[in-house]
Amino acid sequence: MGLDAAQWLAPYFAYSWLINGGVTITTSLIAAVGSALAMYPAMLVVALAAKWLIIGRYKPGSYPLWGTYYFRWWLSGSIQSMAPIDFLSGTPLLNVFLRLMGARIGRNVHLATDNFSAYDTLTIGDGSTLNADATALGYTVQDGYLNIGAVRIGRDCVIGARAVLSPDTTIEDNARLADLSLLPSGTRVPANECWLGSPAQRLPRQPYRTLHLPARRPAGFAAVSIALYALASLLLPMFYLSAIFPGMIAMTHLDRSFDSYWFLMAAPVVAASFIVLLCGFIVGVKWLLLGRVKPGKYPLNGGFYLRKWFVDGLMDMSLDVMGPLYATLYLAPWFRALGAKLGRNAEISTACDASPDLLDIGAESFIADAVLLGAPHIEHGYMTLAPTRIGKRAFIGNSALVPAGSAIGDNSLIGVLSTTPSSPPGAARPDTSWLGSPAIFLPQRPINQSFSEETTFRPTRKLYAQRYAIELWRITLPVTGFVLLTTLVLHAVNVLREQDYSFASIALFFPLLYLGGALCAVVFVIVAKWLLVGRCRPCEMPLWSPFVWRTELVTALHENLAGPLLIDLLHGTPWAAWFFRLMGAKIGRRVFLNTTCLTEYDLIHIGDDAALNLDATLQTHLFEDRVMKMSTIRIGAGCSAGALSVVLYDAAMEPGSKLGELSLLMKGESLPANTEWQGTPARRAAPALEAPQNSDPLPPSPEPAPLAA
């Protein structure tokens, strides 16, 4: 906790310490900026040291959960997760860092993702590409064991966006794993083949010619490129600091001017100014560096890619530090200022990796949480950008993937953890519904008509006013909590300094001070949940209702205040469950939680010895047809849910059942005890697949098959 807090509190400490010591404002500001610049590379060094000193080399095998090796694995991984590795994604610097961590990374490898963990078990050959949110963790937890296995990717391979490679998988040279595809453990993809789906299957053999990198640049270009990316990586967090620092300076000077704590009343104003300033900075930088982005194919070693990478980095940072802004009425004006075309009453939650200029979202559409929306496709040295159009009243479900260049028809639906069909016209047809990877056509989907259009698609002015007011609190409260915690910790440090405590003594007190403030924030979130929402019960509520906005406010406080300050640090520990129990969830003993993707806590039941792997989601609600439908989820004793899997409401996992990575358990389904399931939608796990080198291609399917009941 001390390490985590130090990297974002360092500039405020530097400024406050010096200004209270009589140093000039200019010198104090320079010291604050210098400390911020120094902390980010310092944390990368700390992560490297922690890995080699605590764990050494990751070795394939099974290790008892909660044992000594597990503790070392957890401690090392927790320190690594604090390092700003995400700032290196999409740059040559990430390749260098991964090699230092023990991974074998070839030449001209492009990594648009940092979702790696067991570094020594990772091998990536020359010229390969991993697209946005691709995941190769090299481990999973189930049956009371931490299981570590190797991931091997050959030369000139392409791994699609949000694809998942399980431990003990191999992709041979010049092969492809398509977007939103799962390669289960024990699977080998032969050379020159393309596999698609969750779980992945071989596609029909097609002529495929490897593209090569653009002409080699002059000698020394690589060194110059690395230097530019290093400078840009350091500048990214400076925009965050520039937005929050004016308010923090004001708070520091108010603290010096008053003996009482009345200066804390300014915290909401500082929070609001931070949101406005950072939004303005990102808009200004976007138009200054990129102008209006046009579709096309751009080389990775060109200036346009560097500029777009920088702007995309700012957008990714906005998701981390301005998360409460997303899924509110206040987001649409900002997206329009960035260049997006949004129809009236379009709802956008946490859309990831979007290029705003290339987005056209129709009126009254709904983009749910964690949707990968029109992300650039990168392959063999080139980035391809294409326009993405979402029709009127379309619905894109949670964790779905809409590839760049897609067109979604009016009144169409892309389901949870699903993608668009590859064959035209596919999702471009109006009034169609699609589910899964690959997408399956749903011939009939019940439409909820229980509520009037005034509470779903066309609200009254009164409802608008109510929502604007509640969402203003939703946006500012988490940042206000951060400002209050920072200011109070700084104030306490200054009091200790005035009492002549040594620097070493203050450094020892600091983690305890931070823990005290973080616990206060957590208690505030717990109290807010019970006061604003009470006990959640299965129900249906229209989007435009105060109850929905209150539940979203509580979720924003959890994810953007309690989470970053304390709960996220407890991933993988016995302590993680306590917060969710206090929020209303029923969680048994010795449960492994490596996720905080839980909402409507009272509707969640998790049995003893269950395991929820990285970012597994218990989706107790959906917003289909702009109606929030919520109900219970039951996870039995000894069950496990893989990384990035989703369990929908009204579903159950009987004791000992297993759901694989990137897999979807549908509404109302129940997994029998002691069975294994995987895929979107989930089906019984089959033996590991390995296609023969000279096998005949699979025949294409002329029409999408309807989903069986």
Side-chain angles (χ1 to χ4, degrees), residues 629-650:
K629 309 171 189 177
M630 64 171 68
S631 192
T632 58
I633 291 177
R634 297 182 180 275
I635 309 295
C639 292
S640 64
L644 303 177
S645 61
V646 178
V647 179
L648 297 183
Y649 64 82
D650 277 337

Side-chain angles (χ1 to χ4, degrees), residues 472-536:
L472 181 62
W473 285 103
R474 171 182 169 173
I475 293 170
T476 55
L477 266 181
V479 184
T480 300
F482 163 82
V483 172
L484 287 173
L485 172 63
T486 303
T487 305
L488 289 172
V489 171
L490 291 175
H491 178 81
V493 168
N494 288 328
V495 169
L496 292 175
R497 188 185 178 204
E498 290 171 0
Q499 296 179 0
D500 295 326
Y501 280 84
S502 66
F503 179 82
S505 299
I506 293 174
L508 289 174
F509 275 118
F510 166 67
L512 297 177
L513 292 172
Y514 175 79
L515 173 61
L519 286 173
C520 289
V522 170
V523 170
F524 171 77
V525 173
I526 294 170
V527 172
K529 185 269 179 185
W530 290 105
L531 290 178
L532 294 174
V533 178
R535 188 173 297 281
C536 292

Side-chain angles (χ1 to χ4, degrees), residues 307-326:
R307 289 180 279 123
K308 187 167 192 318
W309 168 84
F310 189 82
V311 173
D312 288 347
L314 290 176
M315 292 292 292
D316 290 343
M317 184 175 65
S318 75
L319 274 170
D320 292 333
V321 301
M322 297 194 308
L325 178 66
Y326 287 77

